[in-house]
Amino acid sequence: QVQLQESGPGLVKPSETLSLTCTVSGGSMRSSYWTWIRQPPGKGLEWIGYIHYSGSTNSNPSLKSRVTILVDMSKNQFSLKLSSVTAADTAVYHCARWNNNNWFDPWGQGTLVTVSS
Amino acid sequence: EIVMTQSPATLSVSPGERATLSCRASQNVNSNLAWYQHKPGQAPRLLIYGASTRATGIPARFSGSGSGTEFSLTISSLQSEDFAVYYCQQYNSWPPLTFGGGTKVEIK
C-alpha cells in the first residue's frame, strides 16, 4: 500500500526557508492530491496546503504568501518550502494523501522542524 | 474559516469502558467530517469518514455519528491500543481544511 516519508533538516534559522520532501512509495502519485499538515508542540493540527500531480496547488490563507509546494513525478516526491520562518513555525510536519478532496489517508509519521538560531 | 471544537480535551476511561468524544463545527459541514487517531511518534490514522463510515481495517468498536454541526465518535469498549489523541476534520468548506483541537483518551 501507499506509504509516505518526510525528510529534511531538523533545524532552521529564523528568517530562513524551511524545506521538506515527502517520498511516496508503494503506488503512483498520479490522479491524487498530496498535502502538508503541521502540528506545533502542544497544539492541534494545521493544514498547510496541497498539490495535485498536475502541479495545481492551494494553501491555507494564513500561510499562503510563504508557502510553495512542488511535485517531482520522476522521483515520486513532493516538497514544501516555507519562507521567512519564525519560532511559531516550529512543528512536526506531516505529509499525507488527500483523498478525493476530502479526508487524509495515509499520512507520514512526521518530522520535527525547530526554528532557532 | 470553519472552526472545529472538540470536547472534552481529556477523557479518562478504564479499559473495557465506553468512550464518547464530541466535535462541533462553527457552521454546517453536512456529513463531510473525518476522525483520526494519533499516537506519539506515529502517523495519524484515518478512522471514520463521511461522519459515520469506518475506514478500511478499522475495528467495529469505533463508530461515528452526527451531521450538520454536531458529531461524535464512540469507542464501545476501550482496548489498550486505543489510548491516543483523536482529531476531527471538516472537508465541507475550504480553504482552509480545518481540524479540531483534539481529545486525549487516557487510562483511568
Side-chain angles (χ1 to χ4, degrees):
Chain A
Q1 74 267 20
V2 173
Q3 293 183 307
L4 295 89
Q5 180 65 57
E6 306 86 352
S7 60
L11 181 64
V12 181
K13 290 182 168 56
S15 80
E16 295 190 345
T17 296
L18 177 159
S19 296
L20 295 174
T21 298
C22 182
T23 301
V24 179
S25 59
S28 171
M29 291 188 68
R30 292 194 179 278
S31 302
S32 289
Y33 289 79
W34 305 91
T35 192
W36 289 96
I37 296 160
R38 71 180 183 179
Q39 183 171 29
K43 297 187 178 182
L45 296 163
E46 179 181 32
W47 174 72
I48 298 171
Y50 75 76
I51 189 163
H52 186 244
Y53 78 101
S54 64
S56 67
T57 64
N58 204 340
S59 54
N60 194 319
S62 68
L63 300 169
K64 200 175 187 77
S65 62
R66 299 195 290 132
V67 168
T68 302
I69 302 176
L70 300 172
V71 65
D72 186 338
M73 297 291 291
S74 68
K75 295 182 179 179
N76 247 33
Q77 293 177 336
F78 63 105
S79 63
L80 169 69
K81 292 188 186 300
L82 183 65
S83 64
S84 304
V85 297
T86 69
D89 294 309
T90 293
V92 174
Y93 286 77
H94 295 274
C95 56
R97 182 175 62 188
W98 186 32
N99 291 270
N100 301 317
N101 296 14
N102 297 320
W103 54 88
F104 303 109
D105 180 57
W107 297 56
Q109 69 178 47
T111 187
L112 175 63
V113 179
T114 301
V115 178
S116 175
S117 56
Chain B
E1 173 176 332
I2 296 178
V3 177
M4 307 299 292
T5 303
Q6 290 186 243
S7 62
T10 303
L11 189 59
S12 298
V13 186
S14 299
E17 287 188 341
R18 180 186 191 92
T20 300
L21 290 64
S22 295
C23 175
R24 174 177 292 177
S26 62
Q27 303 173 34
N28 179 18
V29 299
N30 297 298
S31 293
N32 297 315
L33 185 107
W35 288 94
Y36 303 89
Q37 178 191 68
H38 191 198
K39 298 178 181 178
Q42 296 187 18
R45 178 169 72 147
L46 175 70
L47 298 175
I48 301 284
Y49 60 88
S52 61
T53 302
R54 277 190 302 277
T56 302
I58 301 303
R61 65 180 181 273
F62 290 93
S63 63
S65 63
S67 67
T69 62
E70 300 283 345
F71 301 86
S72 62
L73 174 70
T74 299
I75 311 170
S76 60
S77 177
L78 270 155
Q79 307 297 303
S80 57
E81 62 267 29
D82 300 336
F83 293 96
V85 181
Y86 293 83
Y87 295 95
C88 60
Q89 173 237 332
Q90 69 82 20
Y91 48 88
N92 189 74
S93 177
W94 54 271
L97 295 148
T98 51
F99 295 86
T103 292
K104 181 180 181 180
V105 177
E106 64 177 24
I107 300 174
K108 188 174 182 180

